[in-house]
């Protein structure tokens, strides 16, 4: 069976926001065997929305629509729904109660008339109660095709999808199984990987698809297949992936969803009962942010220092100013001193240090924009490397972060 | 004139990546007066891509396509282009030279045959040379409609769009002016804002559109209009926005694109020659990352400490352990002590401290998940507040970050 996703909102078409809802919905539908045929973003305009509904109905059995359900005047999805289904808006008492309940729970002022307008819904719609916001979701059918309308606020959309939509989809439709598995690799480009695995790739059967997903120092390799027997499907993909993992054992770090590179690092450090600290200069908190975004980071991550100004490398981290003067602030010597001192200060087993020039200007440094030194202090000493990551600030920070995790994983896997 | 964007790639439709290219392209097209009618994401499938080309041709004068140009087998955009334009692939010498040049420049191994396959392009296409990757962009026309194909790697796509595509679009098409202006507000919900500005909103002329964009503690208000006289357009929107800014002066912080809340903070601190440091516990580096993502942050931001483990609040920041024992680690008292000590350690004018429980588990704390204390040490003392930001880790960190910037802006604007 096929689904389509329609996201409504001028803010998407003028590039004011990035549509993250579609990716989330697609991923969740895939997990239950629903293939997404197309994603379409349209304007807050009656005729355009109606046309999108009509087009989607040609291909899909299930159409999920997000956005346009706010209490303000620019939101017209509900009225357009009525036009499409030949329906009228009626007041729903359960939504009124929900609005009152939410305002009490979050100790807000009295609901305004606009808030109660959320209770006006198409009479034929099945209401999907929104526990986290005032706009309800709606489930409607026309000619055996299911239309689901959800609010555009990602948090509310996600809860409604999980709690109300997916269980109903599972009950309503027969679905095959879709199975993806993705291998994460660091440190080799996609063409070089393709050349290395050419024989294996050429021997893949028709129904198994391989995709290459390169980005800033890592390449993800995805195998996908669809079928009716979940066990056969899983065995076919898993066994092929095992061979691939073996062939790429020097660059592969594990499977996506089962692990991330931070997940692998967390697993190893926690098992060994070892700890990590950071001294981030040019990455300015990005490494810490990546680590602490994972729940449970506190079992191995003790903390971080961002000595953004050069003098703080001396004052807080204790890097001798003579080293900075002799070798410059972006140097292997300074990075190593930062890492070693950081390890002492936090009393950790491993400490990572970054110093570099993310750009666009040279800041405190004298080196080229994009120059980055990374050092890792370990229980046995310190390793370090100097790179040039180009002249785009965002990419320099991202590439440094990816390289740091690649180097750290290598170090902690050694003993 | 109207444009459409088509993004090609199974990875989008299975939710493995979020399509950020469309938002970027839409924003850039809008700036030069090109309205984006629709964004469509389709699979790596010949028939589907051809159908998308055909549909887009019905509405748009300019169709921009991204993705499917990689050197590996899963990428089929070029061949599909040939089918659509009734064309064949030929080898382009300039692309061969570019591949060689890139491999030399980045000191890579010899190019592989797959890399040289990038030089096979439709014979009717105008080649748009890609300085940052091996896949060239292509410009083709059919029945007066322009089709542009760009690689899906965001960095390469952005450079090609700026350097090759936009200048050609400006030359090729007559375009009206599109003007948006967006006011940023912090601390009041969209319904409450709508109620406050109802009279002003009702008096807006037909051609001026207002949109509300709420997210985690802030609401953006966008006015948009299209017309042929840029000056008249700009005056009409600017004057209305000034009135709105005045009406909402207690919650408005400025206009998007002209400023962000960090931009405002940076401007004020730099002008006053004042400095900032951070002690981030529950936000784990997210505030530092937000600040240092802006170029030029080093003019006021000295650095940050992330004392992720409780004992480090004492050891590195010098928070007396008696305070932690008496009031618990997530308390106003600990937050204030962290902020005051941070200000001393970094010798800054302002220091921000966060301590809280982002969840999903309670970590070192005894409080409810979502409890967050924020303190700001200022030249005059310290201010602080305790919040509950709910039970979703991502949202707790995001809401804390937004609230920190809101509180800091208030403090630094005082004197």
């Amino acid at each position: 069976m096929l689904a389509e996703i329609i996201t409504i909102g001028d803010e998407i078409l003028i590039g004011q926001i990035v549509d993250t809802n579609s990716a989330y919905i697609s991923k969740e539908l895939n997990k239950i065997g629903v293939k997404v045929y197309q994603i379409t973003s349209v304007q807050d305009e009656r005729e355009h929305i109606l046309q999108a509904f009509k087009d989607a109905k040609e291909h899909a059995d299930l159409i999920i629509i997000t956005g346009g359900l706010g209490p303000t005047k620019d939101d017209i999805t509900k009225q357009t729904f009525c036009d499409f289904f030949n329906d009228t808006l009626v007041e729903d008492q359960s939504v009124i109660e929900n609005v009152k309940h939410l305002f009490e729970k979050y100790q807000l002022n009295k609901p305004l008339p606009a808030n109660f307008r959320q209770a006006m819904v198409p009479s034929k719609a099945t209401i999907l109660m929104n526990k986290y916001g005032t706009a309800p979701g709606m489930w409607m059918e026309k000619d055996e095709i299911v239309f689901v309308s959800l609010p555009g606020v990602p948090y509310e959309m996600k809860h409604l999808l999980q709690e109300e939509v997916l269980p109903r989809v599972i009950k309503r439709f027969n679905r095959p199984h879709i199975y993806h598995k993705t291998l994460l690799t660091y440190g080799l480009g996609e063409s070089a990987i393709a050349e290395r695995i050419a024989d294996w790739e050429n021997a893949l059967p028709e129904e198994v698809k391989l995709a290459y997903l390169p980005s800033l120092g890592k390449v993800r390799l995805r195998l996908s297949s669809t079928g009716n027997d979940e066990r056969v499907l899983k065995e076919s993909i898993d066994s092929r992936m095992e061979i691939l993992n073996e062939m790429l054992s020097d660059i592969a770090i594990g499977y996506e969803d089962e692990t991330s590179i931070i997940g692998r690092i967390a697993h190893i450090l926690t098992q060994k009962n070892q700890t990590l600290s950071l001294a981030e200069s040019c990455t300015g908190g990005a490494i810490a942010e990546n680590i602490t975004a994972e729940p449970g980071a506190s079992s191995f991550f003790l903390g971080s220092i961002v000595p953004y100004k050069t003098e703080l490398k001396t004052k807080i981290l204790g890097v001798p100013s003579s080293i900075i003067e002799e070798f410059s602030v972006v140097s292997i010597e300074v990075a190593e001193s930062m890492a070693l001192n950081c390890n002492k200060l936090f009393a950790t087993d491993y400490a990572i240090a970054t110093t570099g020039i993310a750009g666009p200007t040279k800041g405190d440094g004298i080196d080229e924009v994009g120059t980055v030194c990374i050092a890792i202090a370990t229980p046995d000493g310190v390793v370090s490397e100097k790179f040039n990551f180009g002249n785009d600030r965002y990419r320099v920070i991202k590439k440094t972060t990816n390289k740091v995790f690649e180097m750290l994983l290598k170090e902690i896997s050694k003993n």
Side-chain angles (χ1 to χ4, degrees), chain A:
Chain A
M1 72 162 282
L2 293 177
E4 283 208 29
I5 299 169
I6 299 172
T7 60
I8 299 175
D10 289 352
E11 61 274 22
I12 299 170
L13 293 153
I14 67 169
Q16 195 166 29
I17 67 157
V18 170
D19 165 30
T20 56
N21 284 343
S22 301
Y24 182 85
I25 297 171
S26 300
K27 197 167 192 168
E28 295 305 306
L29 288 177
N30 252 266
K31 283 186 195 159
I32 59 165
V34 179
K35 188 172 173 180
V36 175
Y37 180 77
Q38 184 169 309
I39 299 166
T40 312
S41 300
V42 301
Q43 306 168 74
D44 291 305
E45 250 178 45
R46 188 179 164 281
E47 291 308 319
H48 195 176
I49 296 172
L50 289 174
Q51 185 63 45
F53 287 178
K54 244 177 76 185
D55 289 346
K57 214 165 148 277
E58 294 299 308
H59 303 112
D61 311 289
L62 169 68
I63 296 149
I64 298 194
I65 300 136
T66 66
L69 296 180
T72 49
K73 287 193 177 173
D74 51 323
D75 293 311
I76 59 166
T77 301
K78 282 193 297 193
Q79 187 52 53
T80 310
F81 248 124
C82 285
D83 296 347
F84 187 71
F85 285 99
N86 206 357
D87 200 358
T88 49
L89 293 175
V90 295
E91 191 174 83
D92 185 285
Q93 195 55 36
S94 68
V95 180
I96 298 227
E97 293 307 321
N98 189 47
V99 170
K100 284 185 190 161
H101 168 73
L102 288 170
F103 272 72
E104 268 168 36
K105 186 174 159 197
Y106 293 107
Q107 297 160 357
L108 301 170
N109 295 331
K110 277 209 154 193
L112 301 165
N115 300 116
F116 286 118
R117 269 205 295 279
Q118 301 285 30
M120 296 301 292
V121 294
S123 74
K124 295 174 191 164
T126 303
I127 296 304
L128 311 176
M129 199 51 68
N130 181 352
K131 280 195 266 179
Y132 302 96
T134 54
M138 291 168 285
W139 174 289
M140 297 180 84
E141 303 206 9
K142 184 174 187 170
D143 308 331
E144 300 286 302
I145 313 285
V146 172
F147 288 75
V148 177
S149 165
L150 299 174
V153 179
Y155 183 65
E156 299 175 21
M157 179 281 294
K158 286 178 189 175
H159 277 276
L160 273 169
L161 190 79
Q162 293 295 350
E163 287 160 31
E164 301 289 340
V165 181
L166 296 179
R168 281 181 169 85
V169 171
I170 289 168
K171 237 168 119 181
R172 172 72 168 68
F173 294 99
N174 281 323
R175 295 148 290 110
H177 294 280
I178 301 175
Y179 190 64
H180 306 287
K181 195 159 187 165
T182 303
L183 187 69
L184 299 170
T185 73
Y186 280 72
L188 198 65
E190 66 172 322
S191 298
I193 295 176
E195 174 124 324
R196 246 171 86 172
I197 64 173
D199 290 344
W200 173 88
E201 182 175 358
N202 289 330
L204 288 176
E206 181 74 26
E207 72 275 12
V208 176
K209 280 182 101 175
L210 173 69
Y212 294 79
L213 306 161
S215 93
L216 301 176
K218 62 178 179 181
V219 177
R220 296 183 288 172
L221 300 166
R222 187 190 67 231
L223 279 184
S224 311
S225 195
T226 303
N228 287 316
D229 189 328
E230 190 180 5
R231 205 181 47 83
V232 171
L233 197 65
K234 204 168 164 314
E235 269 175 21
S236 151
I237 298 279
D238 285 352
S239 62
R240 288 192 170 80
M241 260 302 182
E242 250 170 68
I243 298 169
L244 186 66
N245 195 356
E246 195 60 42
M247 288 167 66
L248 301 177
S249 61
D250 53 326
I251 56 166
I253 68 113
Y255 301 112
E256 192 171 63
D257 289 337
E258 283 174 22
T259 193
S260 60
I261 196 156
I262 297 168
R264 286 272 295 165
I265 290 167
H267 178 74
I268 295 173
L269 289 177
T270 308
Q271 268 213 328
K272 291 187 174 175
N273 205 13
Q274 289 182 318
T275 52
L276 174 70
S277 62
L278 308 174
E280 296 192 62
S281 181
C282 65
T283 43
I287 301 173
E289 209 244 337
N290 269 281
I291 292 174
T292 58
E294 304 263 318
S298 60
S299 65
F300 68 95
F301 176 60
L302 296 203
S304 161
I305 286 183
V306 179
Y308 210 60
K309 273 277 191 204
T310 297
E311 68 237 42
L312 291 165
K313 293 185 176 69
T314 302
K315 193 176 160 200
I316 295 181
L317 271 176
V319 176
S321 53
S322 59
I323 296 188
I324 299 178
E325 275 155 36
E326 188 177 347
F327 299 100
S328 102
V329 67
V330 179
S331 62
I332 288 287
E333 289 76 9
V334 167
E336 291 191 349
S337 174
M338 285 170 69
L340 290 166
N341 284 323
C342 186
N343 231 1
K344 261 187 236 152
L345 184 63
F346 283 94
T348 41
D349 300 295
Y350 294 90
I352 296 167
T354 64
T355 176
I357 317 201
T361 59
K362 291 190 173 189
D364 285 350
I366 53 163
D367 292 270
E368 283 303 302
V369 169
T371 309
V372 173
C373 294
I374 299 174
I376 302 182
T378 72
D380 306 323
V382 62
V383 296
S384 58
E385 213 170 325
K386 191 168 185 167
F387 303 91
N388 190 301
F389 288 137
N391 55 11
D392 179 272
R393 184 180 182 83
Y394 169 82
R395 283 165 66 90
V396 170
I397 294 174
K398 200 86 189 166
K399 280 186 177 174
T400 306
T401 306
N402 280 340
K403 185 52 85 177
V404 156
F405 292 135
E406 183 190 334
M407 287 171 67
L408 178 63
L409 181 59
K410 239 176 232 162
E411 286 307 313
I412 62 174
S413 305
K414 270 185 183 163
N415 305 305

